[in-house]
Amino acid sequence: MCGIVGYIGNRDAYPILIKGLHRLEYRGYDSAGIALINKENELSVYKTKGRVQDLEEFSKSKDITGNIGIAHTRWATHGEPNNVNAHPHYSQSESLALIHNGIIENYAVIKKELLQKGYTFQSSTDTEVLVQLIEYIKSTNQCDLFTAVQLALNQVVGAYAIAVLERGNPNCIIAARKSSPLVIGIGDDEFFLGSDASPIVEYTNKVIYLDDEEIAIIERGKTEPKIVTISNVQKTHKIKELEMNLSQLEKGGFSHFMLKEIFEQPETLKNCMSGRVNQEATNVILSGIIDHKEKFLEAKRILIIACGTSWHAGLIGEYLIEEFCRIPVEVEYSSEFRYRNPVINSTDIVIAISQSGETADTLAAVELARKAGAFVYGVCNVVGSSIPRNTDSGSYTHCGPEIGVASTKAFTAQVMVLTMIALTLANQKGTIKQEEYEGILKELLLIPNKIEKILALNEQIKQLASIFTYAHNFIYLGRGFSYPVALEGALKLKEISYIHAEGYPAAEMKHGPIALIDNEMPIVAIASDNAIHEKIVSNIQEIKARKGRVIAIISEGDTEIKSMADHCIEIPKTKECLSPLLSCIPLQLLAYHIAVTKNRDVDMPRNLAKSVTVE
Ligand code: F6R
C-alpha cells in the first residue's frame, strides 16, 4: 500500500518526485505529499487529500526548489484520508519529515509516552508517532539522525518502509524497511528511492533491494548507500539490474492500463511459456520443480495460499494438480490460514501465489509454513519481491509490471504457471500418459493465438456491456474449471464498476440463490465445452424458466446454448483444463466496458490499492 519516492542528486527533485508519484499512484491514491530541502537548507512539506494531480495544483505557488526530497501517495490505514493525515509528517519542531508505508502496531503505547513528555500530535496516524519518536530520541540522546532512526526502529513493532529528511541536512536521506518493500536506484552522482522500481527505471537500471530491518544512509557524493541493520550490523548488497523497461509503465495508446494489460495477454503468456514449453510441444520444464524433484515426488499434499484474484488462480491450480498429479490439494485464503493454527507437515508443499510478492497475509502465511517445516514454492510476478525471497523455490510469471489495480494479465500468467507445474509434476510422477501430456502442451502453445481471437470481439463485448449498465447485481455461474472463472469474473465487475456480483457453482443455484432470479437479473454463464456440458445447459434452462437474462460464454458452434441464452460470446474451443485461460478474457472485457460506461475510474477504483502490504 502507499507509494514512496525519493531523490538526492544535482537535478531539481520536484519534477522527479511528482513523476515518480504518478507512476506509484496505483499503490494508493487517497492523498499525496512531498518534502523538499531548498538551497537555504529549509525543509518544506506540502500535502493534500486527493490525487497527485491535486498535489501539483496545491504546490504551484510554493517554493518547490531543491535537489533532495521525498514524496508519498497514500492508501489510508490509520486515520481518514484528509490533508492532515497525508504524508510526509513533520516532527514536533518541524526539523524532520517522514514518509511511511506499513503499520506501526504499538503506536498507541508510544504515543501515550510522548504525550506525557509534552509532544502534541496533529494527525491520527501511526506515522506521526514514529517521526516524533525519532525526534525525541535524537534530542534526548544528542545523536545523529541515523542513530535516532536506528534506536526508534528498535522500539517499534510492525511493518515499515520509511524515508526521513532533516532540516539543515541537505546531503542525506535515511531510509529503512521491514515487511514493506524499498528499492534504491543508483545513478551517476544521484540516488533514487522507490517502494518499487517504477519511479526509478527512467533514470537508472542499477538497484539495491533493501532487506528487512535494514537502514540505508543515502548520501550525496557517495557511489553507494551505506546499509546497516537496526541491530548495527554492516551489510553489503549486490547491485542488481532491473529487467523492467519504461514502455511497460506507460499506457501505449490505450485509454487505461487495465485495457492495455488485457490486450497484452497473448504476449505475456508467450513470455511465461518461453524457455519452459518446447516448440515441439513434447516437454515442459519448470526448473524450480526439477531442482527439487525429490521434495515434489515425496509430497503427500499440496496447500495453495493466496488472496483475491491469486486465490482464484489457486482454485484452478487445485483442479489441475489433482487431475493430473493425483496429489490432494487444499486452497486457502492466506489471511485465514495464518491465524487458524493449520496442520502443516514436512511432507507438504505450500504454493504461495502473489502478483506483487508483497501481500502481507500471504507473506505471513509463507513464514508460518516454513517454520512448520513445509517446502514453500512461490508463484509471483514482481522479481525480487519479498515472497520469492522468502520461499524455497518458485517460478516467476514473467508478465511485466501490472499497473491496473484490477488484476488481469497476472491472473492468466498465474494459471499458466500452475498448468505448467501440474504438467511438469505429472510427467515426473508418471501420472499422465505421454499422449495426453503432449496433447495438452500442443494446445497450450495455441492459447495466445486463441486469446487474440477473443480480443477481436472487443467491440461486440462493448455493445453488450452498454445493455447491462442498469444492473445493480450480477450472478456469474460455472462448473468444474469454469467455477473459479465465475468467481474471478464477479470480482472484476465488483471492483471496477461497484456493481454487486457473485460467483457460484452453477448447480448450487437451486440451493438458495435461484430465489434472486427475475427478469432484471443478468446471469453470466461460463458454458464453454466441458465434460458435463449438458449439466450447465440444464442450469441455464432453470434460469430461463425464471426469466433471468443470460449472457453465455460458449465454445464456437454451440447452437444449443445459443438458442437459449439472451446473448452469447463465442470463444475458440480448447481442452477443458485450459478453458479458464480463454473464458476469463471476455469477462475481463465485460467488466472493463461496464465500468467505463458507468464512468468509473477503472485503473484506480475507489477504496482499493494494488498491493495490500498491510493486514
Ligand atoms: C483483484 C486483485 C486483488 C489481488 C490480491 C492479491 O483484481 O488484484 O484481489 O489479487 O490483492 O494480490 P497479490 O496477487 O499481489 O498477492
Side-chain angles (χ1 to χ4, degrees):
M1 246 67 227
C2 307
I4 283 180
V5 56
Y7 176 76
I8 178 165
N10 299 317
R11 311 188 215 197
D12 277 342
Y14 181 80
I16 294 173
L17 296 174
I18 290 292
K19 207 177 212 186
L21 284 185
H22 277 298
R23 294 215 194 285
L24 288 171
E25 210 168 8
Y26 73 98
R27 297 177 72 93
Y29 32 84
D30 291 337
S31 58
I34 197 161
L36 295 159
I37 299 179
N38 68 10
K39 289 261 154 47
E40 282 74 46
N41 288 342
E42 289 160 347
L43 172 65
S44 309
V45 168
Y46 310 121
K47 55 187 189 173
T48 181
K49 182 181 170 183
R51 306 255 163 122
V52 179
Q53 208 178 312
D54 301 304
L55 174 66
E56 284 180 87
E57 211 38 56
F58 178 77
S59 349
K60 257 186 186 154
S61 54
K62 311 275 193 296
D63 173 16
I64 50 166
T65 60
N67 44 30
I68 171 169
I70 54 176
H72 188 266
T73 174
R74 177 171 188 246
W75 185 82
T77 52
H78 284 67
E80 64 171 288
N82 60 24
N83 296 346
V84 178
N85 288 335
H87 300 208
H89 286 280
Y90 269 135
S91 59
Q92 181 101 337
S93 67
E94 299 195 352
S95 65
L96 305 179
L98 180 142
I99 52 177
H100 169 220
N101 179 12
I103 288 184
I104 307 299
E105 287 167 16
N106 58 340
Y107 82 104
V109 182
I110 300 173
K111 187 171 181 174
K112 201 169 155 203
E113 284 169 18
L114 290 170
L115 281 167
Q116 281 162 2
K117 293 185 166 46
Y119 277 75
T120 54
F121 292 83
Q122 313 299 317
S123 75
S124 39
T125 65
D126 51 339
T127 304
E128 192 185 7
V129 175
L130 180 57
V131 71
Q132 301 278 43
L133 176 66
I134 296 170
E135 176 169 300
Y136 169 70
I137 290 175
K138 192 168 181 296
S139 66
T140 46
N141 290 275
Q142 291 293 303
C143 58
D144 61 14
L145 179 61
F146 162 74
T147 312
V149 170
Q150 192 181 41
L151 291 170
L153 293 181
N154 273 291
Q155 288 188 33
V156 303
V157 178
Y160 52 79
I162 57 164
V164 198
L165 284 190
E166 183 178 29
R167 187 176 62 210
N169 186 357
N171 297 322
C172 174
I173 302 175
I174 302 286
R177 77 153 266 177
K178 184 184 176 195
S179 305
S180 275
L182 209 50
V183 191
I184 301 168
I186 302 169
D188 293 333
D189 289 330
E190 57 186 357
F191 293 103
F192 304 84
L193 191 66
S195 30
D196 62 42
S198 59
I200 297 175
V201 65
E202 187 169 347
Y203 310 101
T204 177
N205 65 353
K206 286 195 221 131
V207 293
I208 287 177
Y209 294 93
L210 281 190
D211 281 330
D212 274 352
E213 302 199 332
E214 285 182 347
I215 310 173
I217 307 149
I218 308 168
E219 267 181 290
R220 197 187 295 282
K222 297 275 162 70
T223 51
E224 278 186 35
K226 184 176 167 195
I227 298 170
V228 183
T229 67
I230 62 168
S231 35
N232 218 19
V233 180
Q234 300 261 359
K235 286 294 192 82
T236 33
H237 275 260
K238 246 189 158 168
I239 296 175
K240 302 230 161 93
E241 274 211 11
L242 285 178
E243 286 177 11
M244 193 186 275
N245 65 54
L246 201 56
S247 67
Q248 291 175 311
L249 302 175
E250 287 169 351
K251 285 189 204 148
F254 286 89
S255 31
H256 295 95
F257 279 110
M258 181 179 177
L259 192 61
K260 177 188 174 221
E261 287 158 5
I262 292 173
F263 273 80
E264 275 174 356
Q265 289 174 106
E267 210 44 52
T268 53
L269 291 181
K270 277 185 207 158
N271 290 341
C272 186
M273 284 188 280
S274 166
R276 292 163 166 173
V277 181
N278 69 354
Q279 282 313 300
E280 300 73 38
T282 51
N283 208 5
V284 51
I285 291 194
L286 279 185
S287 52
I289 294 205
I290 300 298
D291 294 349
H292 302 275
K293 193 172 142 185
E294 300 312 320
K295 267 271 161 227
F296 277 88
L297 292 179
E298 277 166 16
K300 297 268 179 294
R301 182 175 68 144
I302 292 182
L303 292 162
I304 297 180
I305 48 173
C307 303
T309 286
S310 300
W311 185 80
H312 296 154
L315 287 179
I316 298 169
E318 174 186 11
Y319 289 21
L320 288 161
I321 295 169
E322 292 209 341
E323 168 93 19
F324 297 120
C325 312
R326 309 310 298 156
I327 302 176
V329 180
E330 287 164 34
V331 189
E332 292 221 32
Y333 288 114
S334 312
S335 53
E336 291 298 316
F337 182 81
R338 64 178 287 198
Y339 285 119
R340 71 167 184 81
N341 193 15
V343 176
I344 310 168
N345 299 310
S346 57
T347 50
D348 288 336
I349 303 262
V350 173
I351 301 180
I353 309 173
S354 174
Q355 186 285 128
S356 61
E358 301 290 350
T359 298
D361 283 323
T362 306
L363 193 54
V366 162
E367 277 163 22
L368 179 76
R370 290 194 80 190
K371 270 195 196 131
F375 182 86
V376 184
Y377 196 90
V379 175
C380 297
N381 189 38
V382 178
V383 176
S385 55
S386 299
I387 293 173
R389 290 195 291 154
N390 284 289
T391 39
D392 298 297
S393 181
S395 303
Y396 282 116
T397 47
H398 292 308
C399 64
E402 190 179 63
I403 312 282
V405 166
S407 189
T408 52
K409 64 175 181 174
F411 172 73
T412 44
Q414 289 165 344
V415 174
M416 179 61 88
V417 167
L418 290 161
T419 309
M420 293 190 288
I421 289 176
L423 292 173
T424 304
L425 194 49
N427 192 34
Q428 294 295 325
K429 276 177 75 87
T431 47
I432 190 167
K433 292 205 179 85
Q434 189 65 19
E435 198 187 336
E436 188 180 13
Y437 174 70
E438 289 185 18
I440 297 172
L441 289 178
K442 201 165 156 205
E443 191 56 35
L444 204 56
L445 290 171
L446 299 177
I447 290 289
N449 282 345
K450 293 190 175 179
I451 293 181
E452 294 280 11
K453 285 194 180 162
I454 301 172
L455 294 172
L457 304 176
N458 187 35
E459 264 314 304
Q460 182 203 333
I461 296 171
K462 187 174 169 184
Q463 297 301 323
L464 189 60
S466 66
I467 303 172
F468 286 98
T469 42
Y470 74 88
H472 295 291
N473 298 287
F474 262 75
I475 292 177
Y476 285 68
L477 300 178
R479 300 187 71 133
F481 280 98
S482 298
Y483 162 54
V485 177
L487 296 178
E488 175 59 8
L491 177 61
K492 287 292 85 89
L493 186 70
K494 271 187 269 216
E495 64 186 330
I496 58 169
S497 72
Y498 319 145
I499 295 173
H500 170 244
E502 289 196 48
Y504 264 98
E508 276 295 303
M509 282 299 282
K510 37 186 159 338
H511 300 287
I514 202 158
L516 294 167
I517 309 282
D518 61 16
N519 60 2
E520 298 251 295
M521 177 68 91
I523 288 102
V524 181
I526 298 109
S528 51
D529 284 350
N530 75 16
I532 47 168
H533 188 249
E534 74 286 358
K535 304 279 181 204
I536 188 119
V537 170
S538 60
N539 296 140
I540 293 174
Q541 274 162 344
E542 286 155 14
I543 291 157
K544 281 317 300 171
R546 285 149 187 95
K547 301 201 168 18
R549 301 179 70 181
V550 174
I551 305 158
I553 312 298
I554 56 171
S555 296
E556 277 166 354
D558 182 343
T559 47
E560 190 180 14
I561 295 187
K562 218 169 179 180
S563 65
M564 270 182 255
D566 299 81
H567 307 274
C568 285
I569 302 169
E570 290 188 61
I571 61 173
K573 285 177 183 283
T574 189
K575 293 202 179 282
E576 187 181 346
C577 63
L578 305 182
S579 62
L581 290 165
L582 299 186
S583 55
C584 70
I585 310 289
L587 305 188
Q588 295 170 347
L589 286 169
L590 185 67
Y592 171 79
H593 287 299
I594 291 178
V596 170
T597 317
K598 289 179 84 71
N599 223 0
R600 305 298 193 217
D601 193 342
V602 169
D603 283 334
M604 291 187 232
R606 72 182 180 204
N607 305 337
L608 291 178
K610 183 74 185 158
S611 49
V612 186
T613 55
V614 291
E615 277 189 56

